[in-house]
Amino acid sequence: MDLIVFVALVVIGFVAGRIAERRHYASIRRREAALRDIQVFATRFPPTLEPRPQRLVAGSVVVSDDYFKRVVAGLQQWIGGRLRSYESLIDRARREAVLRMKAEAQAFGATTIVNVKFQTFAVGGKKNGSLKAVEVLAWGTAIGRA
Amino acid sequence: MTDWSNPEVDDSVNVSRTHPLVDFARLAGGLLGLLIVAMVVLMLLAQTFAKRIPFEVERRVADDIAERFSPTTGPVPAYLQRVADRLVQAQPLPVPMQVRVHWQPEATINAFATLGGHVVVFGGLLRDLPDENTLAMVLAHEIAHVRHRHPIGAAGRQIVIGLGLALLSVGSGSDIVSGALGPAGLVTALAFTREQERQADASGLDMLVAAYGHAGGAADTFRVLERATRDRTQPPAILRSHPLDADRVAAIDAWVRARGFTPDGPRTPLPADVVAAARAVDDASDAPVSPH
């Protein structure tokens, strides 16, 4: 009985996770192309020192793993190495956070964001069975047009 | 600002190109393989070291359950015990091993040996045997299992399998453990390997010849079993714990020739009261057939 539940959870996790990931990547690539003209800089200084309208913009994403990813990661823990199943998840979260930040900048009328930083935060407890999720936060200073 | 540009680049460097199922299969396969190897090693160790458990300890465990078997008193059990004693006298068991024969008045065509030197013969088998010599071969086969400590080895093996599955938190694991340790396990669940069965056939034949002076009845025993199982669908030979009965007949003939035994001689008839008691056993037409 345990085994049937386990297999069902793994299958659900895999199928649902695969579909969600494929759709999300398609959406990410589409919006990245659309927002390509908004440029993102890690440098702390704006390209021009003339006074412009500026504003703090941020994008935040909270993602959770699925059962399949958790099982694969759990198995990987025994031998160590890359947690491949989580890499795509974090990659999606990071790019989505940048896209949301860019969308906010676009609404502000900016084409440049400087001093961009990332931060992650683990959501959920360490206890077994508790929610396992991660927030990826991107923020920076959007520089408006003169 | 026109100096700065944002060209499109490969966006997949941060993500593994390995398909997640490949990843999963490699990890799960590796872990499963390791578990299987560990289990086989443990099983072999359990089987080997179980034989080191003193027979007294084995008997103390088994005696609690032996009460569940039919009593050893009455004309049929007394007769079965006499035949077994004759075999053991001809080829003594190591001290302090003892064999106690029980009679189960059921139509099942079967006999088995279990922990503590307990041997159970079912009414259906006794009814189908033509003479004492064939019965002696059955008992010699089961006594050989006891002599070679097969029951305790099988029990050890089964406990390891059960514990292994229980570790994987598969619900049936603990059932197998309690099945092997509990009363039901001692009656049904002890499965010997084909090699053990072959050893019991060979060693049983030796005992039969030592007691009766000839190998008469040895092959007949398996012909009786063959007749009883003929109408049923049989799994292919490789999947069966027991060698096919036809193969066992051939093996017996070969051993008789190789060891220079007298192939046949005067047969001892079964006592009339034993035959009558065996005939009186309810004949359930579809009695399970599982020779041990």
Side-chain angles (χ1 to χ4, degrees):
Chain A
M1 192 58 211
D2 297 358
L3 196 67
I4 296 169
V5 172
F6 174 77
V7 170
L9 283 172
V10 168
V11 170
I12 290 171
F14 176 71
V15 173
R18 268 312 255 194
I19 293 171
E21 184 156 299
R22 190 158 298 173
R23 283 190 188 158
H24 191 202
Y25 265 125
S27 149
I28 285 173
R29 296 214 169 86
R30 194 165 24 81
R31 286 180 293 148
E32 274 180 351
L35 293 169
R36 191 162 296 284
D37 57 331
I38 296 180
Q39 297 191 32
V40 172
F41 294 85
T43 171
R44 285 192 287 149
F45 304 106
T48 167
L49 290 174
E50 288 169 32
R52 296 273 179 91
Q54 61 80 30
R55 180 189 158 88
L56 180 75
V57 286
S60 162
V61 179
V62 180
V63 284
S64 169
D65 60 358
D66 54 60
Y67 202 77
F68 177 80
K69 283 184 164 59
R70 200 174 305 170
V71 167
V72 173
L75 290 173
Q76 188 75 55
Q77 276 184 334
W78 289 72
I79 55 167
R82 288 173 68 178
L83 287 181
R84 290 190 178 81
S85 63
Y86 279 171
E87 284 179 347
S88 64
L89 201 65
I90 301 300
D91 182 59
R92 278 159 58 197
R94 184 179 51 76
R95 287 161 75 172
E96 180 69 33
V98 171
L99 283 170
R100 289 181 186 180
M101 180 183 71
K102 279 187 171 184
E104 197 182 329
Q106 191 182 39
F108 177 60
T111 53
T112 305
I113 309 172
V114 295
N115 200 17
V116 170
K117 309 254 199 261
F118 289 97
Q119 183 161 333
T120 60
F121 177 73
V123 181
K126 289 194 172 96
K127 261 184 279 172
N128 241 353
S130 71
L131 178 72
K132 295 250 192 330
V134 65
E135 183 205 25
V136 176
L137 171 67
W139 78 87
T141 306
I143 309 294
R145 292 194 184 84
Chain B
M1 287 300 292
T2 46
D3 301 333
W4 304 96
S5 67
N6 184 18
E8 195 170 347
V9 292
D10 178 19
D11 61 5
S12 63
V13 290
N14 288 314
V15 178
S16 163
R17 273 170 231 270
T18 318
H19 193 280
L21 277 184
V22 174
D23 220 24
F24 177 69
R26 214 177 41 215
L27 288 166
L31 191 69
L32 213 66
L34 255 162
L35 273 173
I36 287 170
V37 168
M39 203 96 121
V40 167
V41 168
L42 276 174
M43 253 167 64
L44 289 175
L45 283 177
Q47 199 179 333
T48 311
F49 286 106
K51 293 187 179 181
R52 305 259 173 169
I53 296 171
F55 190 78
E56 294 98 322
V57 176
E58 182 185 326
R59 198 165 51 199
R60 223 174 299 141
V61 174
D63 277 355
D64 299 337
I65 309 113
E67 292 164 14
R68 290 166 53 98
F69 300 139
S70 299
T72 42
T73 52
V76 179
Y79 167 69
L80 293 173
Q81 188 68 50
R82 268 204 309 281
V83 176
D85 288 346
R86 180 172 172 184
L87 289 161
V88 171
Q89 226 157 35
Q91 214 173 64
L93 290 167
V95 181
M97 250 184 228
Q98 278 174 5
V99 169
R100 262 175 67 199
V101 188
H102 306 256
W103 184 55
Q104 206 72 26
E106 290 167 26
T108 312
I109 302 173
N110 194 8
F112 64 83
T114 184
L115 296 178
H118 294 282
V119 171
V120 178
V121 177
F122 284 87
L125 181 62
L126 191 55
R127 187 194 51 205
D128 284 4
L129 295 173
D131 49 41
E132 184 177 303
N133 301 66
T134 49
L135 170 67
M137 183 61 203
V138 171
L139 288 174
H141 172 94
E142 304 305 342
I143 293 167
H145 276 312
V146 175
R147 182 193 299 278
H148 298 296
R149 308 289 313 265
H150 291 165
I152 188 103
R157 217 168 47 218
Q158 238 156 295
I159 290 163
V160 167
I161 296 174
L163 286 177
L165 290 176
L167 275 180
L168 287 176
S169 92
V170 177
S172 55
S174 49
D175 294 350
I176 291 177
V177 174
S178 54
L181 287 174
L186 295 180
V187 178
T188 56
L190 289 181
F192 302 135
T193 63
R194 280 209 290 177
E195 179 51 32
Q196 286 176 329
E197 294 297 343
R198 205 200 54 78
Q199 190 182 18
D201 279 353
S203 172
L205 177 68
D206 282 354
M207 218 187 302
L208 177 77
V209 174
Y212 288 82
H214 61 84
D220 294 343
T221 304
F222 301 112
R223 289 201 188 97
V224 167
L225 290 173
E226 192 191 10
R227 256 204 310 281
T229 53
R230 186 173 296 160
D231 300 335
R232 293 157 206 281
T233 12
Q234 294 278 328
I238 193 150
L239 295 180
R240 291 162 52 95
S241 69
H242 284 64
L244 282 169
D245 295 318
D247 296 347
R248 295 172 88 178
V249 172
I252 294 279
D253 287 343
W255 282 323
V256 167
R257 271 197 306 278
R259 313 202 49 180
F261 291 151
T262 315
D264 211 340
R267 303 285 185 96
T268 315
L270 289 166
D273 56 343
V274 170
V275 174
R279 291 238 169 93
V281 170
D282 270 350
D283 189 6
S285 56
D286 57 347
V289 176
S290 48
H292 273 280

